[in-house]
Amino acid sequence: MRPRDSGDCTMNSGGSCLSTITMAVPTINDSSIPMSTCSSSTSAQPSSPIDTQVCLPKKQNKVKKRVIWGIEVAEELQWKGWELGKETTKNLVLKNLSLKTQKMKYRPLKTKFFFTVIPQPIFLSPGITLMLPIVFRPLEEREYKDQLWFEKEEGIFCVELRATLPCHKLECPPSLQLPMCAIGDTVEACFCLDNVGDLPTFFTWEFPSSFQILPTTGLLEPGLACRIKVTFQPLMAVIHEVEATCWYGEGSKQKSSIQLQAIAKCAQLVVSIRHKRPEDRDAEGSQKVLHFGCVAVGCTAERQIRLYNPSVVNAPFRIEIASDILAKDQAFSCSKGHGIVPPGKKKYVSLFFHPEALDVRTMDYISIMSSGCVSQTVLKVVGFCIGPAVALQHYCVNFNWVNPGEHSEQTLWIENQSDSTAHFQFAIDCQESVFSIQPAFGTLVGKARMTLQCTFRPTRPIICFRRVACLIHHQDPLFLDLIGTCHSDNTKPVILKPQHLTWYRTHLARGLTLYPPDILGIMLKERKLERDRNGALMIPIEDLEDMPAPQYPYIPPMTEIFFDGTNDLAIFPPPVSIEPMEVDFGGCPGPEPPNPIPLCLMNHTKGKIKVVWTRRDDCPFWVTPDTCDVPPLKSVALRLHFQPPNPNCLYAVELEAFAAYKVLWSYSDIEEDCTVCPSWCLTVKARGHSYFAALEHHVPQYSLDVPKLFPAVSSGEPSYRSLLLVNKGSMLLIFSLAPKSSSDITLRPASGLVAPGAHQIFLISTYPKGTSWKQHIFYLQFNFYPQYLKEVSMQSREEPLQLKLDTYRSVFFKPTWVGCSSTSSFTFRNPSRLPLEFEWRVSQQHQKTLAVQPAKGLIQPNESLTLTWIFSPLEETKYLFRVGMCVWEAGLPLNTKPPANTHYMIRLVGMGITSSLSAEAKELDFGNVLVTSRESRNLALLNDGNCTLYYRLYLEQHSPVGDDHNSPAALELDRSEGSMPPHSKDNICLTACPQRRSQYSWTISYSLLSHRDNKVGEKKELCQVSLVAVYPLLSVLDAYSMGSAEGITRKHLWRLFSLDMLNNYLARDPTPGELTYQVPTRHSMNQTPPVFTPLKLDFNFGVAPLKAPPSVVLLDLKNIGMVPLDWAFLFPSDQQIDLELWAEQVDFDSTELHQMRAEDNCIFSISPKTGSLSPGEEQMVELKYSHLFVGTDRLPVLFKVSHGREILLNFIGITVKLEQKYVLFTSTSHQFIPVPIGNTLPPRQIYELYNGGSVPVTYEVQTSVLSQVQEKSFDHPIFCCINPKGEIQPGTTARVLWIFSPIEAKTYTVDVPIHILGWNSALIRFQGVGYDPCVMGDTAPFHSISSWDNSSIHCRMMVPGQAVFLSQSHISLGNIPVQSKCSRLLFLNNISKNETIVFSWQPRPLDFGEISVRPMIGELAPEETAPFVVTLKTSVHASFYSVDLICKVYRQELMKQYHKELQEWTDAKVRQEAEFTITDKKVKFCDLEQVT
């Protein structure tokens, strides 16, 4: 849809807009102005097309040129704006840019519309330019095309010739990337639309939603560019890639498109409270509450909230306060209603609390909404308004008695106990009264105190009692009782005391004040009256019909002010009254005084009273007569006079009179003190002025503090407010309530005078009617002038006892399991200004099924309260409830029935169903778990039902039995109780930590919980859990010796390294001490770290001469367990803690020095020292002993399997001097294999001797000791050495053959000396066990195959760099008959991918028997496997066979290279034997020929 053409903007060729004139700006490049982007805030409105359109002239397009073989020439010549029949000439420029002369020629043009000079050769010297004229002559209106071809030695090229018609063409960039924008925000970007055509072009933009393009339409002259502004205001957080189309040309059929790219994101705002207070709540996920605390009325408190934008875009925000509150009643406001928080920045917003309602807890809800209302944070703000708390030191001042003309003074302080400023005023005219209070008005700041001076100045004998109201702005008035008595020489009235006032108020409540004291005295004597315990008079109890005597009630101060007898409003009937109470004389300019105003004074008592008026001498107002007696129930007429002393002045006074029973004028007439009645004070307010009618009264200057609303009250209750009028002028200010004021308000005082700089406090009252707001208007007239009228408007209403209920008064519960409970929230709000109390009333029959929390409570004005309904079904059915709620005004006295309340009914719907839990996996297997390690698995619980289930899980262990209950549990649940919503899945984390090696199994069961009666349901099985607790198991599969230890046989090497015992130890469980450090740890500060394992073994590297090649032993380690393991060989230094130099030990013993030498010189080395093995994985370890020093080297090495065994290995190595003999005796004892008795051909057994020296040695076994055993065995040769003497070559092992032939089932022992000729001798103890096979049967030991024989059958041990391996490194042939053959098939494997291997088996002669390998030699292609057969042919003698077969392998390529070099060396040697070289330079060639 295209925009309408309204607001079009037309451009002319002069570079200006018809609608607005803009400055022409030259473009930067040849095509358009570069794009520019700018962003704007949310509040910025898109500007009009007139404001955004800019016309930019374009530079003339330069001719595009190219360089071909050193010639610079234009790509195209174009003719525009041509006319029919006219020739137009353009020059084609050719320029030689090379350093040589260029030769070329051109062909004639093909068409007749383009022509040039006759073609001829062109020669261009370096740097020379040639201009070739080309003429165009059109004959019709159409486009023309041609090509001008040039020929050079290098090739040909052409120049396009084109004549075009005038056309419309607009260009814009292909795409425009706008800045990232938040939802609800606005960003802008600009680009240029160029008119590259020949005609003025009208354009119209068509664009999608969320984008706006300005100007939408326009007219663009040729050669000009228009700056187009794109505005992006997204509504969804998506990536926008849209196309905007510009339609132009005849009929708007041509188009030019631009791709608009923009990213819209959701802005995030994190709202927090700045400078938190303890009462604030700012936790995430809960209702945020900001407390302003107590704020004085009329003051403003400020708190701040922090808005943080964690997103990458601007975050526009809007702050709103609840809209359903009357604007005049809003106590909270915000400094900023909207704004923007930049990315990653913070902004602080001030919130203000300016309360007007006294002693009210005010709360409201402020919504902080991010752009597009994507997210909203509701902040609850709470504040309490406090007013002044003014108190008096005493509330009664007793002046006792004084003589006429004298005065009595007393001080009294007034104190403001609040922090709020207090304005006070005593309602008394101190000039006209016998009592005066100075100051009569004032201001008290918070916690301030002021001293008042109270004076009693009577002029005649009189009894004076006046109750003076202290009016306080924003506080209920206080009352001060002033009493005093004046005695003259002739008249001595009763002295009034404070006790009389107390009795008087009690008598007033009992109706006895209308009787004079003398009558009360007589009634007391006649026992018609009696005294109570306080001394007050009362009617006898029997006459009251057992009713308690009335007491003076508490009268609220405001009630006492407004119910003062005016307009027939009084709490008690007045004993004496006067009418009128206010008199306005109006204007009395003189010279004649105005007529007196009649007054009527009535005595309502049953006794005679005397009235005395108090008047100062210069008062312009007075009453006549000033003293009079009034009979009971009679009235008297008085006259009020006014005589203004000065013209053009204002006058207002309050005249005062005291009326008392006549009998009180003589104290001797009073017999009972309790019958004394204080006087009554009568006041008349009079006002007038002396201005002439033609004169304008002086202008009042004042300020009036008027609240907008009356306080909230319930139905039928009055509402009171105070107003403050301040006279800011320098003259008196007289006010009065105008007659046209509303009749439904009452103002106290209605008239009066305010001195310059003084203030007047008004109290206003009304009785609100109806729940809608009603406006009250009253007028104050100042200075008796009709034009000086102040209109005051206030509003009031009768607060409805209503609540706003959510969810259409319906509550729905989700399906609930029978026996369990579900909850549903229900929110309601108090829209009134009164705190309300509520109570939900659930019927007795539904109380087991339905409950609410809280069931009753208090809700403050404008507060939202969320309740929780609890539904606990008893059976599987559908439930429907109707529950009522009563609402009434809060704060009523206890045990008082509310006068009015409101009822609400809501509907609650729920359903009780049954369901169960299940486990996704019925069996959960941890597999193999390392002892003391921790592994976790998730147990998936499924709730396929339609209700939420509350469950408790139980774990029961079946095996192993007998675990200590005090030990940590081998399986733990991350939680044993929880809840699951319907159709949900929950994961329970099971953590296994077994403490010993065993197979564990558990059963996990569950039971459903009932929240109603805390009962647990039936236990049901969920799943089975199992695991196998294991230790890491490591084993040595094979050992291989190299270097100087190459001559040691594998069996001998197995014994030297105690590998059988090592494997035995590794297969056992570790001791607790070994698990002190479960992984290799630096834990010691000593050179010799402490050992935590009782296991110790020797690793004997044998013996070799000094400087001999190192003795290398390769061990094949395999993880035979079920869990991965880490192993490490730890030298003493690996267990030491790195210390500073000053902390290291200085003195070392010989052992420590020996270990330090071994480590520092790397005599023993291990590679690698640490490793990790997965189950079934093997790793080869190289142990090396370097023969650097003569002697025996020892080093304790700790072999540590992490979380497993820890074995101390004593590395032992011996280095001897050159030419020194040394035979290695592994042990001082040798155990023969057990042999059965009665065997006529016992087997031959082998005892090995290893020559570790560098020279051959001869051994000799002293067989003479064997005869001693023979003699003891009936001359039977028990031990027989076959080769008692022999020679051992260096680095080889000699086999000494023995025959052990027992004749009894016992152990035979013999100590045999073995002499090494030229060296030491050794005494070896040989032991053999004879057994009876008939007795032992199958348990008879014959040949105990060691671990290296059986566990290594299928082991392949790879030396570093070895590319060939055997299918088996050991062959165990078992028991073979004598003089027989036994063969085994093995395979030789070449694992190299590109090398051919040559192998050769080394023949190994046996002392008896024969062993052979077929084939002995051969080749193995890459990745080829060759079989071979090993055959053992036994001898005639029963023997044990143990032999090492060696197969040497070579790389064929290296072997060929070796043979080639060997042949070359042989040929060179032969040639050198036949040839010679003459080195004598004097010998000549001719001499050589002669010699030849």
Side-chain angles (χ1 to χ4, degrees):
M1 178 179 179
R2 302 183 186 180
R4 294 184 301 175
D5 294 340
S6 61
D8 297 345
C9 183
T10 307
M11 299 183 178
N12 58 19
S13 59
S16 64
C17 296
L18 296 179
S19 55
T20 179
I21 304 300
T22 57
M23 178 179 63
V25 181
T27 58
I28 296 177
N29 52 39
D30 296 336
S31 60
S32 63
I33 292 180
M35 293 181 293
S36 63
T37 59
C38 58
S39 61
S40 65
S41 66
T42 311
S43 59
Q45 299 294 330
S47 55
S48 64
I50 294 178
D51 298 331
T52 59
Q53 185 166 342
V54 180
C55 305
L56 303 172
K58 285 178 54 64
K59 287 185 178 179
Q60 294 296 327
N61 290 337
K62 294 183 178 179
V63 178
K64 293 183 180 180
K65 296 182 179 181
R66 57 179 176 173
V67 178
I68 302 177
W69 298 308
I71 300 297
E72 182 186 61
V73 64
E75 294 182 0
E76 182 184 66
L77 284 185
Q78 190 172 13
W79 280 262
K80 292 183 178 181
W82 42 269
E83 297 181 9
L84 292 177
K86 289 186 179 181
E87 295 183 352
T88 306
T89 303
K90 283 185 175 289
N91 294 321
L92 179 63
V93 179
L94 302 171
K95 185 176 182 180
N96 184 5
L97 299 180
S98 65
L99 299 178
K100 64 179 181 178
T101 301
Q102 297 276 6
K103 179 182 178 182
M104 69 181 75
K105 60 181 179 178
Y106 57 93
R107 301 174 184 174
L109 294 170
K110 296 181 180 180
T111 65
K112 61 181 178 180
F113 307 105
F114 297 95
F115 57 89
T116 183
V117 297
I118 299 174
Q120 56 186 345
I122 300 175
F123 294 91
L124 285 179
S125 300
I128 299 301
T129 300
L130 173 67
M131 301 181 66
L132 181 64
I134 300 176
V135 181
F136 169 60
R137 183 171 56 192
L139 298 179
E140 54 182 326
E141 286 191 2
R142 65 178 180 86
E143 288 192 0
Y144 297 89
K145 293 182 181 180
D146 205 343
Q147 290 179 331
L148 179 61
W149 288 90
F150 292 89
E151 297 180 359
K152 288 180 84 278
E153 293 181 356
E154 294 85 350
I156 62 176
F157 64 92
C158 71
V159 176
E160 298 287 338
L161 306 178
R162 184 188 305 271
T164 59
L165 293 172
C167 64
H168 298 280
K169 189 174 183 181
L170 298 181
E171 289 185 354
C172 61
S175 63
L176 177 65
Q177 179 69 50
L178 284 89
M180 198 176 298
C181 182
I183 296 176
D185 196 12
T186 302
V187 294
E188 297 176 352
C190 299
F191 68 92
C192 281
L193 180 66
D194 300 328
N195 187 353
V196 296
D198 307 304
L199 300 174
T201 303
F202 183 84
F203 63 87
T204 300
W205 281 99
E206 184 181 89
F207 46 86
S209 60
S210 300
F211 292 89
Q212 186 177 10
I213 295 182
L214 296 174
T216 305
T217 60
L219 181 64
L220 196 57
E221 295 291 336
L224 292 185
C226 177
R227 186 183 297 274
I228 304 296
K229 182 172 73 173
V230 181
T231 303
F232 176 50
Q233 188 171 10
L235 300 177
M236 296 179 61
V238 295
I239 297 176
H240 294 260
E241 290 187 359
V242 297
E243 186 178 71
T245 305
C246 178
W247 296 93
Y248 62 92
E250 296 294 335
S252 296
K253 295 181 179 180
Q254 294 177 259
K255 68 176 182 178
S256 181
S257 300
I258 181 171
Q259 191 78 15
L260 302 179
Q261 301 173 354
I263 299 177
K265 285 187 172 292
C266 292
Q268 297 180 357
L269 273 182
V270 179
V271 182
S272 58
I273 300 174
R274 192 182 187 190
H275 305 311
K276 297 185 185 65
R277 296 178 180 176
E279 60 269 20
D280 294 335
R281 291 207 306 266
D282 196 18
E284 288 295 331
S286 62
Q287 173 74 65
K288 296 180 181 292
V289 181
L290 184 146
H291 284 264
F292 281 89
C294 296
V295 179
V297 61
C299 297
T300 300
E302 179 183 2
R303 293 289 305 274
Q304 286 187 330
I305 58 174
R306 182 189 298 108
L307 305 181
Y308 170 63
N309 178 12
S311 54
V312 296
V313 293
N314 287 341
F317 65 90
R318 186 172 74 257
I319 298 179
E320 294 182 355
I321 303 178
S323 58
D324 57 348
I325 300 177
L326 192 65
K328 298 178 181 179
D329 198 30
Q330 284 187 347
F332 299 96
S333 60
C334 180
S335 60
K336 294 181 180 179
H338 57 81
I340 293 179
V341 183
K345 300 296 183 180
K346 299 176 182 177
K347 180 164 287 189
Y348 298 97
V349 178
S350 295
L351 302 178
F352 301 98
F353 176 48
H354 36 84
E356 295 291 341
L358 279 173
D359 300 327
V360 173
R361 181 183 179 91
T362 307
M363 61 181 61
D364 209 337
Y365 296 88
I366 297 178
S367 300
I368 301 99
M369 293 170 287
S370 60
S371 60
C373 298
V374 176
S375 61
Q376 176 178 350
T377 301
V378 178
L379 177 67
K380 182 178 179 180
V381 286
V382 182
F384 189 81
C385 176
I386 60 171
V390 178
L392 297 173
Q393 182 183 10
H394 307 294
Y395 292 92
C396 180
V397 177
N398 183 13
F399 292 98
N400 210 338
W401 67 273
V402 296
N403 295 319
E406 298 179 356
H407 69 277
S408 175
E409 295 183 354
Q410 289 195 27
T411 59
L412 176 74
W413 53 253
I414 183 171
E415 181 182 23
N416 183 10
Q417 300 173 351
S418 172
D419 294 326
S420 176
T421 301
H423 303 277
F424 69 91
Q425 176 193 1
F426 286 94
I428 185 173
D429 190 343
C430 297
Q431 292 183 350
E432 303 299 329
S433 175
V434 296
F435 298 104
S436 67
I437 303 174
Q438 296 297 331
F441 64 90
T443 301
L444 288 173
V445 297
K447 305 298 183 181
R449 178 182 290 184
M450 183 183 294
T451 301
L452 305 176
Q453 192 74 26
C454 300
T455 305
F456 177 50
R457 187 178 285 106
T459 57
R460 63 181 72 183
I462 194 173
I463 299 174
C464 299
F465 161 60
R466 182 163 183 177
R467 187 170 175 83
V468 180
C470 178
L471 306 181
I472 305 166
H473 192 35
H474 297 307
Q475 183 184 333
D476 288 348
L478 303 176
F479 291 93
L480 179 63
D481 293 333
L482 303 175
I483 57 176
T485 307
C486 181
H487 285 188
S488 66
D489 294 338
N490 300 325
T491 305
K492 297 185 182 297
V494 174
I495 299 176
L496 202 58
K497 300 177 182 178
Q499 183 62 44
H500 296 145
L501 299 182
T502 305
W503 287 335
Y504 169 73
R505 292 189 176 97
T506 304
H507 296 163
L508 185 63
R510 296 173 180 175
L512 300 178
T513 56
L514 299 180
Y515 297 92
D518 52 348
I519 296 179
L520 293 177
I522 295 172
M523 294 176 68
L524 185 61
K525 289 180 180 180
E526 295 177 354
R527 298 185 179 274
K528 294 181 180 179
L529 294 177
E530 61 183 23
R531 302 180 69 174
D532 61 10
R533 59 181 180 179
N534 295 323
L537 298 175
M538 60 178 289
I539 300 175
I541 297 179
E542 56 271 12
D543 296 339
L544 294 176
E545 298 179 356
D546 296 331
M547 295 290 293
Q551 299 292 330
Y552 188 76
Y554 167 76
I555 301 176
M558 284 295 187
T559 303
E560 188 172 351
I561 287 289
F562 285 94
F563 288 78
D564 56 354
T566 306
N567 299 329
D568 297 330
L569 296 176
I571 302 173
F572 297 102
V576 182
S577 63
I578 187 170
E579 291 182 358
M581 299 180 67
E582 292 189 9
V583 178
D584 183 5
F585 282 91
C588 302
E592 296 297 330
N595 295 326
I597 302 297
L599 302 177
C600 178
L601 191 149
M602 295 189 64
N603 178 11
H604 301 283
T605 69
K606 298 179 180 180
K608 188 176 182 179
I609 63 172
K610 183 178 181 179
V611 179
V612 178
W613 290 88
T614 62
R615 173 180 177 266
R616 59 183 171 90
D617 296 336
D618 56 348
C619 180
F621 299 93
W622 69 95
V623 177
T624 58
D626 58 355
T627 302
C628 63
D629 292 339
V630 183
L633 303 176
K634 299 295 182 181
S635 62
V636 64
L638 305 176
R639 295 290 184 267
L640 175 61
H641 302 269
F642 173 44
Q643 181 63 52
N646 300 312
N648 302 325
C649 291
L650 304 175
Y651 300 95
V653 297
E654 183 185 59
L655 300 179
E656 179 186 62
F658 292 97
Y661 285 113
K662 183 72 174 180
V663 70
L664 295 176
W665 245 252
S666 175
Y667 72 90
S668 61
D669 296 338
I670 304 300
E671 298 180 0
E672 294 292 341
D673 195 38
C674 63
T675 62
V676 174
C677 180
S679 60
W680 298 285
C681 181
L682 303 174
T683 59
V684 175
K685 288 188 176 181
R687 61 182 182 272
H689 66 89
S690 58
Y691 279 92
F692 289 95
L695 293 179
E696 181 180 359
H697 303 184
H698 66 270
V699 179
Q701 298 180 6
Y702 62 90
S703 66
L704 183 62
D705 179 16
V706 181
K708 301 295 188 297
L709 303 176
F710 277 96
V713 292
S714 58
S715 176
E717 295 292 329
S719 181
Y720 304 102
R721 268 292 196 181
S722 63
L723 287 69
L724 179 65
L725 175 66
V726 180
N727 184 4
K728 294 189 174 182
S730 58
M731 301 182 69
L732 292 176
L733 178 66
I734 291 181
F735 64 89
S736 62
L737 183 65
K740 64 177 182 179
S741 301
S742 299
S743 60
D744 52 3
I745 64 167
T746 304
L747 187 68
R748 293 285 189 273
S751 63
L753 179 143
V754 185
H759 60 252
Q760 174 66 50
I761 296 174
F762 296 99
L763 299 179
I764 188 170
S765 168
T766 188
Y767 280 83
K769 296 180 181 180
T771 57
S772 59
W773 288 101
K774 182 179 180 181
Q775 191 172 23
H776 308 276
I777 299 177
F778 62 95
Y779 301 89
L780 289 177
Q781 182 177 334
F782 297 102
N783 296 345
F784 298 99
Y785 201 63
Q787 282 72 19
Y788 301 155
L789 206 63
K790 172 65 176 178
E791 179 181 324
V792 180
S793 176
M794 296 180 66
Q795 288 181 298
S796 71
R797 76 168 183 178
E798 179 184 314
E799 291 298 323
L801 305 181
Q802 295 179 354
L803 297 176
K804 274 191 175 182
L805 306 184
D806 290 348
T807 67
Y808 302 99
R809 301 188 180 183
S810 296
V811 177
F812 296 92
F813 296 99
K814 56 189 175 181
T816 307
W817 179 69
V818 175
C820 197
S821 301
S822 63
T823 60
S824 183
S825 60
F826 180 75
T827 303
F828 58 91
R829 193 173 70 84
N830 180 8
S832 69
R833 297 184 299 157
L834 286 176
L836 302 178
E837 290 188 55
F838 64 90
E839 182 178 5
W840 292 96
R841 295 176 179 175
V842 182
S843 63
Q844 186 71 26
Q845 60 178 347
H846 295 153
Q847 288 184 358
K848 291 185 177 181
T849 309
L850 192 65
V852 60
Q853 293 178 352
K856 59 182 179 179
L858 176 71
I859 180 169
Q860 296 290 340
N862 200 37
E863 181 182 11
S864 293
L865 191 62
T866 300
L867 304 176
T868 301
W869 284 96
I870 304 173
F871 172 55
S872 305
L874 300 176
E875 57 182 338
E876 190 174 359
T877 184
K878 188 174 182 179
Y879 290 83
L880 177 62
F881 308 95
R882 291 188 181 275
V883 181
M885 176 177 63
C886 291
V887 179
W888 64 91
E889 182 184 357
L892 297 178
L894 295 177
N895 301 323
T896 301
K897 184 178 180 180
N901 54 20
T902 306
H903 295 272
Y904 294 94
M905 293 292 294
I906 67 170
R907 187 170 65 100
L908 300 100
V909 180
M911 179 181 293
I913 61 175
T914 57
S915 185
S916 62
L917 285 181
S918 62
E920 191 174 43
K922 296 300 181 182
E923 294 184 359
L924 182 62
D925 187 10
F926 277 79
N928 298 293
V929 179
L930 193 64
V931 177
T932 69
S933 69
R934 301 182 69 88
E935 285 202 21
S936 298
R937 295 285 190 277
N938 285 331
L939 173 63
L941 298 183
L942 303 176
N943 179 8
D944 297 327
N946 296 322
C947 63
T948 300
L949 297 179
Y950 297 87
Y951 61 87
R952 178 180 296 167
L953 299 180
Y954 303 92
L955 184 64
E956 181 180 359
Q957 181 173 331
H958 300 297
S959 63
V961 181
D963 273 3
D964 188 4
H965 295 289
N966 297 325
S967 61
L971 184 66
E972 297 176 352
L973 309 180
D974 65 339
R975 63 182 185 276
S976 60
E977 292 188 10
S979 62
M980 288 189 66
H983 302 286
S984 65
K985 177 180 177 180
D986 191 12
N987 288 326
I988 303 296
C989 183
L990 308 182
T991 303
C993 183
Q995 300 299 316
R996 61 170 175 157
R997 183 168 65 171
S998 181
Q999 187 168 359
Y1000 289 81
S1001 63
W1002 297 269
T1003 297
I1004 297 181
S1005 306
Y1006 79 97
S1007 60
L1008 298 179
L1009 304 180
S1010 171
H1011 287 183
R1012 182 178 64 250
D1013 46 13
N1014 294 325
K1015 288 185 178 180
V1016 180
E1018 180 185 356
K1019 188 185 296 185
K1020 298 180 181 180
E1021 182 178 330
L1022 263 180
C1023 72
Q1024 299 286 336
V1025 182
S1026 61
L1027 68 83
V1028 178
V1030 297
Y1031 282 107
L1033 294 179
L1034 187 67
S1035 178
V1036 179
L1037 296 185
D1038 199 0
Y1040 183 75
S1041 58
M1042 300 173 60
S1044 295
E1046 186 176 6
I1048 302 177
T1049 63
R1050 287 193 178 182
K1051 191 172 183 179
H1052 193 189
L1053 182 65
W1054 202 268
R1055 289 196 298 269
L1056 288 175
F1057 275 70
S1058 310
L1059 296 182
D1060 282 332
M1061 189 60 67
L1062 177 62
N1063 286 336
N1064 188 16
Y1065 287 164
L1066 291 175
R1068 301 178 187 175
D1069 292 347
T1071 61
E1074 296 176 41
L1075 297 176
T1076 303
Y1077 300 100
Q1078 297 190 354
V1079 294
T1081 307
R1082 292 181 179 269
H1083 58 86
S1084 176
M1085 292 185 294
N1086 300 326
Q1087 290 292 331
T1088 303
V1091 178
F1092 298 99
T1093 175
L1095 308 180
K1096 299 181 181 179
L1097 294 174
D1098 291 340
F1099 269 27
N1100 195 331
F1101 286 85
V1103 60
L1106 183 66
K1107 304 300 182 182
S1111 298
V1112 179
V1113 176
L1114 301 178
L1115 297 181
D1116 186 14
L1117 304 181
K1118 182 178 181 180
N1119 182 357
I1120 61 174
M1122 307 304 294
V1123 293
L1125 60 82
D1126 297 328
W1127 56 266
F1129 288 93
L1130 303 177
F1131 287 176
S1133 59
D1134 297 328
Q1135 304 172 63
Q1136 280 184 299
I1137 300 174
D1138 294 332
L1139 300 176
E1140 299 290 342
L1141 292 177
W1142 60 269
E1144 290 186 354
Q1145 183 180 351
V1146 178
D1147 299 327
F1148 304 102
D1149 56 21
S1150 59
T1151 303
E1152 293 174 342
L1153 291 173
H1154 184 81
Q1155 292 179 7
M1156 293 171 61
R1157 186 188 75 166
E1159 288 196 66
D1160 293 343
N1161 294 278
C1162 298
I1163 293 178
F1164 294 99
S1165 63
I1166 304 173
S1167 177
K1169 292 180 69 176
T1170 61
S1172 300
L1173 292 175
S1174 300
E1177 188 178 358
E1178 300 178 23
Q1179 186 173 5
M1180 189 187 68
V1181 180
E1182 179 186 79
L1183 288 74
K1184 184 186 295 184
Y1185 168 56
S1186 300
H1187 303 276
L1188 303 179
F1189 304 98
V1190 175
T1192 301
D1193 296 300
R1194 299 177 182 272
L1195 183 66
V1197 178
L1198 187 66
F1199 181 52
K1200 176 67 178 176
V1201 179
S1202 297
H1203 304 280
R1205 301 243 60 178
E1206 186 176 292
I1207 302 174
L1208 183 63
L1209 305 177
N1210 293 316
F1211 279 28
I1212 303 173
I1214 302 174
T1215 302
V1216 298
K1217 298 179 181 178
L1218 294 175
E1219 305 299 330
Q1220 180 181 348
K1221 299 179 180 180
Y1222 196 99
V1223 175
L1224 179 63
F1225 293 95
T1226 308
S1227 174
T1228 58
S1229 63
H1230 178 73
Q1231 181 74 38
F1232 288 118
I1233 294 175
V1235 176
I1237 60 176
N1239 191 349
T1240 58
L1241 294 175
R1244 298 184 179 185
Q1245 302 195 39
I1246 301 173
Y1247 175 70
E1248 296 180 340
L1249 294 175
Y1250 176 71
N1251 180 9
S1254 59
V1255 295
V1257 297
T1258 301
Y1259 71 89
E1260 183 176 352
V1261 179
Q1262 298 295 323
T1263 59
S1264 58
V1265 296
L1266 303 179
S1267 59
Q1268 300 175 4
V1269 179
Q1270 182 177 348
E1271 292 177 356
K1272 295 179 182 179
S1273 302
F1274 309 101
D1275 202 24
H1276 179 77
I1278 302 298
F1279 297 101
C1280 178
C1281 182
I1282 298 177
N1283 52 343
K1285 187 174 183 180
E1287 187 179 70
I1288 312 174
Q1289 295 298 321
T1292 62
T1293 300
R1295 293 179 174 85
V1296 182
L1297 303 180
W1298 288 80
I1299 295 177
F1300 171 57
S1301 177
I1303 60 174
E1304 294 180 85
K1306 68 174 185 177
T1307 300
Y1308 295 88
T1309 303
V1310 62
D1311 295 331
V1312 180
I1314 300 178
H1315 299 292
I1316 306 300
L1317 301 182
W1319 195 62
N1320 299 330
S1321 300
L1323 185 64
I1324 307 300
R1325 171 168 291 184
F1326 290 91
Q1327 290 182 345
V1329 177
Y1331 66 92
D1332 188 351
C1334 297
V1335 176
M1336 300 188 68
D1338 296 336
T1339 62
F1342 177 67
H1343 180 32
S1344 179
I1345 302 176
S1346 62
S1347 59
W1348 75 273
D1349 285 328
N1350 54 14
S1351 63
S1352 306
I1353 291 177
H1354 302 288
C1355 169
R1356 69 177 191 184
M1357 187 166 184
M1358 303 290 293
V1359 179
Q1362 180 178 340
V1364 179
F1365 68 91
L1366 291 169
S1367 59
Q1368 296 181 19
S1369 60
H1370 298 280
I1371 303 175
S1372 179
L1373 299 178
N1375 298 322
I1376 306 173
V1378 297
Q1379 291 186 329
S1380 64
K1381 292 183 179 181
C1382 183
S1383 300
R1384 291 290 187 270
L1385 177 64
L1386 283 79
F1387 295 91
L1388 192 64
N1389 302 282
N1390 180 10
I1391 62 174
S1392 175
K1393 296 183 179 297
N1394 50 16
E1395 292 183 355
T1396 301
I1397 299 298
V1398 177
F1399 66 89
S1400 173
W1401 286 95
Q1402 303 297 315
R1404 191 70 179 265
L1406 298 178
D1407 296 326
F1408 42 86
E1410 181 181 348
I1411 190 167
S1412 61
V1413 180
R1414 299 191 308 272
M1416 294 290 290
I1417 59 175
E1419 293 183 0
L1420 279 177
E1423 300 184 345
E1424 184 183 359
T1425 298
F1428 64 93
V1429 178
V1430 177
T1431 303
L1432 174 64
K1433 182 179 180 182
T1434 59
S1435 66
V1436 297
H1437 302 284
S1439 303
F1440 289 97
Y1441 294 87
S1442 176
V1443 62
D1444 292 339
L1445 297 178
I1446 299 175
C1447 178
K1448 292 186 177 181
V1449 294
Y1450 309 93
R1451 297 180 183 176
Q1452 188 182 52
E1453 184 179 351
L1454 296 179
M1455 181 64 70
K1456 290 180 179 179
Q1457 180 68 23
Y1458 167 74
H1459 286 296
K1460 179 181 178 182
E1461 293 177 356
L1462 180 60
Q1463 185 62 39
E1464 291 176 354
W1465 178 81
T1466 303
D1467 296 343
K1469 184 177 181 181
V1470 172
R1471 187 173 62 254
Q1472 289 176 2
E1473 290 178 354
E1475 295 178 356
F1476 61 92
T1477 302
I1478 299 176
T1479 60
D1480 191 356
K1481 298 181 179 180
K1482 296 181 180 180
V1483 178
K1484 296 182 179 179
F1485 182 73
C1486 59
D1487 297 335
L1488 293 175
E1489 290 181 349
Q1490 293 177 0
V1491 173
T1492 305

